[in-house]
Amino acid sequence: MPLRATLLPLLLPAAVVALLVATLDTPQGAAAAALVTLAGSLMALGVSRGAMQEQLDTLTRHTRGRAEGATGAPAPGPEQLEEVASLGGAIDSLHAQLSAQNAALTQEARTLTAVLDGMAEGIWVTDAEGTVVRHNDALRDLLQPAGGHIIGQRPLALIRDELLHDAVMRACREGASTRLELALEGLFPRTLSVRVTPLGRDLPGSAAVFHDVTELRRLEKVRKDFVANVSHELRTPITAIRGYAETLQGGALTDAVMAPKMVEIIHRQSERLSELVEDLLELSRLESREVRLRLTEVTLAEAAARATDTVRPKAEGKGQRVSLHVPPDLRALGDPRAVEQVLLNLLDNAVKYTPPGGRVDVYGACEDGRCVVRVKDTGLGIEPKHLSRIFERFYRVDKGRSRDMGGTGLGLSIVKHLLGAMDGEVRVESQPNVGSTFTIFLPLVAPAKAATG
Ligand code: ADP
């Protein structure tokens, strides 16, 4: 019996129900008719199922017999061949559809993994119990878990933070999202901004995105400290100027002894104020790379001599001897004004932090293909714990002494920036109560250029 014929018993009762519902007008009558029809349908379905089963068995027998090469198997008739062909076609198209869907799903999963692993933020996904079931590469780099395992772990085992744990459980149980910031301690302390969200209505579990904000927070702190430092540095001379000006206004102007001293202090403080503003502007220009240095040949002996001339009056006032030992043919590639400013800042510090009667020596040499200039003093020296920080803005070993000596706390920071812009560098060696040596390195002028220059 062909498949088409097996469907007939099912279609007939349906037609009967439609006819009865149309002719009977009482609900009880219609219900009775429907019951009768339903019974008929079930019987018919039993018949048709049996017939269909028989049909399929015959087709299977035929097909298997043909496949095994059994010559005795009676060949199926043209109608049966048609049934096999259409069944086979349906199976093939189902298989093709499933294969395409499978390939699309595999591709999607691969894309998702690639996107997750390409992200700078760390991500983990948990199941409904809060256990991590998936994560990306960035999360591993961020957490560097002790045992190396992340999958299968609970949040508290990975990051000891109750708030994070609570946030994950709230997302899993209540579908609540949370934002929080974590401070990870250890060898490399990190600050992480975390967002925990539920996965979705039909998906139990949660996802957490970890954003490393360590550098951002550090920069914020640097900016805040800088503003606080600038305000403080500006306030000191301004307070002094205003105080003395008010005292003068209040009658001290006529005091022949005090008035000149106060005016002298006002003058000194206003000079300090303008030096501070100058240094700040210079530093800000250097940091924003606004200053374009003109790199050319610089004769270091000349630059050192000019810087020494500037500090000599101060050094002589303190009974110090400043000596130059720079070969006249030592030429660096740099910006003449910047090189002179670097040497001036170092010499000014050497004179400033060396007691009366001390010595300051400037040596020049060519070492390992670079120009080297050393500014050596017999001054107060710097304790080792301060050495790595003296090039920071506003860092002073002794705040009171630096200010009393007219320092802004920006000199060495400017030196470092200027040398950096000329492909050079600065280093320091120092011994408390013995003295300090600041060494600068600059590129040597290329021999061909030196010869023609
Ligand atoms: P300042 O304007 O205070 O001199 P700098 O940036 O030039 O600022 O120097 C930073 C700090 O480094 C100084 O406050 C001082 O404590 C220390 N320092 C710099 N040069 C010397 C030196 N030659 N001898 C001893 N200490 C020095």
Side-chain angles (χ1 to χ4, degrees):
M1 186 166 41
L3 280 174
R4 259 195 310 279
T6 62
L7 292 175
L8 263 180
L10 292 171
L11 291 173
L12 271 174
V16 172
V17 173
L19 205 66
L20 283 172
V21 171
T23 49
L24 292 173
D25 44 2
T26 65
Q28 291 88 342
L35 275 175
V36 170
T37 318
L38 183 63
S41 291
L42 287 173
M43 279 167 64
L45 188 63
V47 172
S48 103
R49 196 168 166 270
M52 207 185 282
Q53 186 65 53
E54 196 182 315
Q55 179 97 13
L56 283 172
D57 287 349
T58 314
L59 286 174
T60 311
R61 256 197 325 278
H62 279 309
T63 316
R64 193 174 293 145
R66 303 290 292 176
E68 286 167 1
T71 47
E79 212 169 42
Q80 283 166 328
L81 276 176
E82 195 186 317
E83 298 294 340
V84 173
S86 80
L87 193 64
I91 290 170
D92 281 353
S93 107
L94 192 66
H95 180 254
Q97 265 181 36
L98 284 176
S99 300
Q101 273 173 9
N102 196 24
L105 281 176
T106 311
Q107 185 62 28
E108 210 164 295
R110 272 200 202 144
T111 311
L112 185 66
T113 307
V115 169
L116 288 181
D117 286 342
M119 284 175 73
E121 290 84 7
I123 292 180
W124 80 32
V125 177
T126 73
D127 61 13
E129 310 307 319
T131 304
V132 177
V133 290
R134 182 169 188 162
H135 67 87
N136 65 351
D137 286 351
L139 187 90
R140 177 179 297 283
D141 296 345
L142 220 53
L143 301 189
Q144 302 191 334
H149 295 299
I150 296 181
I151 297 214
Q153 301 272 24
R154 308 281 299 213
L156 262 182
L158 293 166
I159 301 174
R160 296 228 146 268
D161 191 285
E162 294 281 348
L163 288 178
L164 175 66
H165 175 261
D166 292 349
V168 172
M169 295 328 288
R170 262 201 316 280
C172 291
R173 290 180 187 150
E174 300 158 26
S177 299
T178 313
R179 261 182 201 285
L180 61 148
E181 197 156 302
L182 303 176
L184 296 191
E185 285 160 9
L187 202 54
F188 303 104
R190 314 233 127 253
T191 309
L192 304 180
S193 163
V194 191
R195 185 167 157 71
V196 185
T197 49
L199 278 187
R201 208 173 284 163
D202 304 325
L203 275 173
S206 72
V209 181
F210 298 78
H211 188 55
D212 190 344
V213 290
T214 316
E215 186 59 10
L216 201 68
R217 296 288 175 266
R218 191 188 68 79
L219 289 175
E220 272 171 14
K221 186 175 179 310
V222 167
R223 188 184 56 79
K224 277 188 198 153
D225 288 354
F226 181 68
V227 172
N229 275 325
V230 170
S231 316
H232 181 75
E233 293 298 328
L234 290 174
R235 204 179 313 129
T236 313
I238 289 172
T239 308
I241 291 169
R242 200 166 70 195
Y244 284 110
E246 281 170 4
T247 314
L248 285 171
Q249 274 177 336
L253 205 55
T254 51
D255 185 329
V257 182
M258 290 310 289
K261 285 185 182 166
M262 288 185 187
V263 171
E264 164 58 23
I265 293 172
I266 288 176
H267 182 245
R268 212 170 53 232
Q269 292 295 343
S270 65
E271 266 185 347
R272 181 160 168 218
L273 201 58
S274 82
E275 258 169 43
L276 187 64
V277 171
E278 278 305 313
D279 279 0
L280 276 173
L281 286 176
E282 175 78 6
L283 203 55
S284 135
R285 278 195 296 261
L286 281 169
E287 285 186 344
S288 64
R289 302 190 191 284
E290 236 175 67
V291 188
R292 282 224 147 265
L293 295 185
R294 193 175 48 88
L295 296 187
T296 175
E297 190 181 303
V298 183
T299 305
L300 290 172
E302 288 171 11
R306 278 196 295 274
T308 309
D309 286 347
T310 311
V311 298
R312 203 180 295 280
K314 201 161 143 191
E316 282 173 355
K318 287 176 84 177
Q320 296 169 343
R321 214 171 78 208
V322 184
S323 317
L324 286 178
H325 319 271
V326 183
D329 58 347
L330 186 64
R331 294 188 184 92
L333 185 66
D335 178 290
R337 193 193 73 90
V339 172
E340 199 177 315
Q341 193 179 346
V342 164
L343 292 171
L344 182 59
N345 281 4
L346 295 180
L347 277 163
D348 187 55
N349 277 350
V351 170
K352 201 158 62 179
Y353 298 109
T354 296
R359 284 186 58 121
V360 176
D361 288 281
V362 184
Y363 299 94
C366 169
E367 289 172 14
D368 297 328
R370 288 203 289 181
C371 288
V372 180
V373 180
R374 291 191 172 85
V375 178
K376 187 172 185 297
D377 65 53
T378 56
L380 304 167
I382 305 164
E383 277 186 62
K385 65 176 179 190
H386 298 291
L387 285 179
S388 63
R389 301 203 56 194
I390 55 171
F391 296 98
E392 290 174 19
R393 296 181 296 194
F394 293 118
Y395 191 86
R396 291 150 158 147
V397 174
D398 182 334
K399 286 189 173 37
R401 188 165 57 203
S402 160
R403 277 205 203 97
D404 291 347
M405 292 174 171
T408 61
L410 296 171
L412 288 181
S413 185
I414 292 174
V415 164
K416 189 178 154 194
H417 270 87
L418 282 173
L419 286 169
M422 293 185 285
D423 226 1
E425 62 171 316
V426 55
R427 289 186 203 158
V428 57
E429 288 160 275
S430 189
Q431 228 183 313
N433 302 319
V434 175
S436 311
T437 303
F438 283 82
T439 308
I440 66 164
F441 298 84
L442 279 167
L444 203 61
V445 171
K449 202 171 175 222
T452 55

